[in-house]
Amino acid sequence: MLAKPLTLSAPGKAILHGEHAVVYGKAALAVALNLRTFLRIKPSNNGKVLIHLPNIGTSVNWETFRLRTLLTVFSGNPEQMDALKEFAGITTELSAAESLGTLAFLYLYLSISAKYGWSEEEMDLINRWAFRGEQVIHGKPSGVDNSVATWGGVLRFQSGKFTSLKRVPTLRILLTNTKVSRSTKILVASVKDKILKFPAIMNPVLASIDAISHECESVLEAMAVSPSQEYYPVLEELFDINQHHLNVIGVGHSSLDNVCRVTATHGLHSKLTGAGGGGCAITLLRPDPLMVEAARQDLSACGFECWETSIGAPGICLHSLSSLKAEVLHIFNPV
């Protein structure tokens, strides 16, 4: 069904503002990061389908005729996940990343017909299939991750709908992984309990987070039209306020507080991104490489992992091999 090799990539994602509040109809700003995941698909004549996921150390292959047999009884119903797990040999010995990555691939491989294109209608189709993969992994995803990965740029999410910002400024951030694992499901439930217990206190906090998202959107749009250093103090203050709000609603963590303290010693402003309770933080960067490098070294000394990147990356892209960087080519063609 595949006539020639295809190489594609999709951007990473971070939430600038609106974590958790978006669950209650408030606005959230999600950004595509210039940290990309690459996929190489090649036709095979050995009668097998092979999936190789080097980042999580997984390689699995299946006989094509067995997949064809499975396809005759596969309808795409999520209730068939147990049957797919049995077929793929997914057991409790495998890590969650291995199991879910393999399961999502197998589900999408069996579900998607071979159709390629880049019209808006087909981009929407890619987005909807990516959402299906998110459902396999997360159960009840928000739709933020797949939409940002597909469309790229900066998106405002509210009440289940998203709007793309027409212009995005050049804005650099530092993404820091605290390496503290957490459960999004548990954190979301904890926030819900607190809102039910203290509605008069918590609802104004959610309203304030909503206002921060809208204010940040206005600043980004103005910054895109007329780049100026004067916008940075406003964006930094919004980071600080939102981080305090996220601590108030109970999704902070000592590791995230540590990131904020370390970067503050270098005049930088940080906040958690995503579910909180550990995970990742983002730091807004001004155009000063010396300041950034010093902060990176201090964060690394704390045992954290950092990546410098920028917001507003393009969404899903099709690549020629000649356009890829050497480190990406090495992954596809290891010596």
Side-chain angles (χ1 to χ4, degrees):
M1 296 176 72
L2 184 65
K4 62 181 181 179
L6 291 176
T7 304
L8 308 97
S9 73
K13 177 227 74 178
I15 302 291
L16 278 187
H17 297 290
E19 292 94 342
H20 290 280
V22 71
V23 176
Y24 301 93
K26 309 303 183 184
L29 286 182
V31 297
L33 301 177
N34 275 303
L35 296 169
R36 307 188 72 82
T37 295
F38 287 83
L39 171 67
R40 177 79 167 156
I41 307 173
K42 297 189 294 184
S44 170
N45 58 5
N46 66 358
K48 293 183 178 180
V49 172
L50 167 68
I51 173 176
H52 178 52
L53 304 174
N55 283 29
I56 58 174
T58 297
S59 290
V60 186
N61 67 80
W62 301 281
E63 299 285 347
T64 305
F65 79 88
R66 293 186 63 212
L67 289 173
R68 290 196 183 117
T69 301
L70 181 62
L71 189 58
T72 62
V73 296
F74 182 76
S75 65
N77 191 320
E79 294 177 358
Q80 292 182 299
M81 287 300 109
D82 288 341
L84 289 187
K85 289 179 182 177
E86 182 179 353
F87 174 85
I90 293 175
T91 64
T92 55
E93 286 76 26
L94 294 176
S95 71
E98 289 176 277
S99 299
L100 293 173
T102 302
L103 188 62
F105 170 84
L106 187 58
Y107 174 83
L108 293 174
Y109 182 86
L110 292 171
S111 300
I112 301 174
S113 61
K115 179 177 177 60
Y116 307 104
W118 299 98
S119 68
E120 184 169 345
E121 179 182 353
E122 288 162 332
M123 288 285 283
D124 183 63
L125 181 62
I126 291 171
N127 189 36
R128 285 186 279 124
W129 277 119
F131 182 72
R132 291 282 191 175
E134 285 282 298
Q135 286 179 311
V136 171
I137 294 173
H138 294 300
K140 294 183 179 179
S142 66
V144 173
D145 286 13
N146 52 280
S147 297
V148 174
T150 301
W151 301 102
V154 177
L155 307 181
R156 170 169 35 86
F157 282 80
Q158 189 161 16
S159 301
K161 299 179 181 179
F162 72 86
T163 304
S164 297
L165 271 66
K166 294 181 180 178
R167 298 186 65 177
V168 180
T170 301
L171 202 64
R172 294 163 51 245
I173 67 167
L174 190 67
L175 178 68
T176 300
N177 182 5
T178 67
K179 300 183 182 179
V180 175
S181 61
R182 73 282 187 271
S183 167
T184 299
K185 182 178 181 180
I186 291 174
L187 288 162
V188 170
S190 174
V191 172
K192 181 179 180 180
D193 288 343
K194 190 166 286 191
I195 291 170
L196 292 173
K197 188 175 181 179
F198 304 111
I201 298 171
M202 299 299 293
N203 287 330
V205 177
L206 297 179
S208 182
I209 293 175
D210 181 64
I212 290 170
S213 295
H214 287 290
E215 181 67 20
C216 182
E217 180 180 351
S218 298
V219 173
L220 293 178
E221 289 179 334
M223 199 175 183
V225 174
S226 180
S228 171
Q229 292 287 314
E230 70 184 44
Y231 294 111
Y232 280 97
V234 180
L235 293 173
E236 290 168 347
E237 195 165 4
L238 292 177
F239 263 44
D240 293 342
I241 296 170
N242 201 1
Q243 177 62 19
H244 287 304
H245 284 347
L246 291 164
N247 279 328
V248 167
I249 67 175
V251 296
H253 189 272
S254 58
S255 63
L256 295 164
D257 293 338
N258 200 13
V259 172
C260 292
R261 281 194 299 268
V262 170
T263 55
T265 63
H266 299 280
L268 300 171
H269 299 253
S270 305
K271 64 175 287 291
L272 69 84
T273 184
C280 291
I282 52 175
T283 303
L284 183 63
L285 301 179
R286 294 197 183 202
D288 185 343
L290 294 178
M291 184 185 298
V292 176
E293 184 54 33
R296 286 184 61 150
Q297 290 179 6
D298 286 352
L299 289 168
S300 297
C302 294
F304 302 145
E305 191 172 10
C306 304
W307 299 271
E308 185 179 346
T309 185
S310 58
I311 72 167
I316 186 170
C317 293
L318 188 63
H319 301 273
S320 64
L321 285 181
S322 61
S323 70
L324 298 177
K325 294 181 179 179
E327 56 263 35
V328 177
L329 288 172
H330 176 72
I331 294 296
F332 289 142
N333 302 294
V335 178

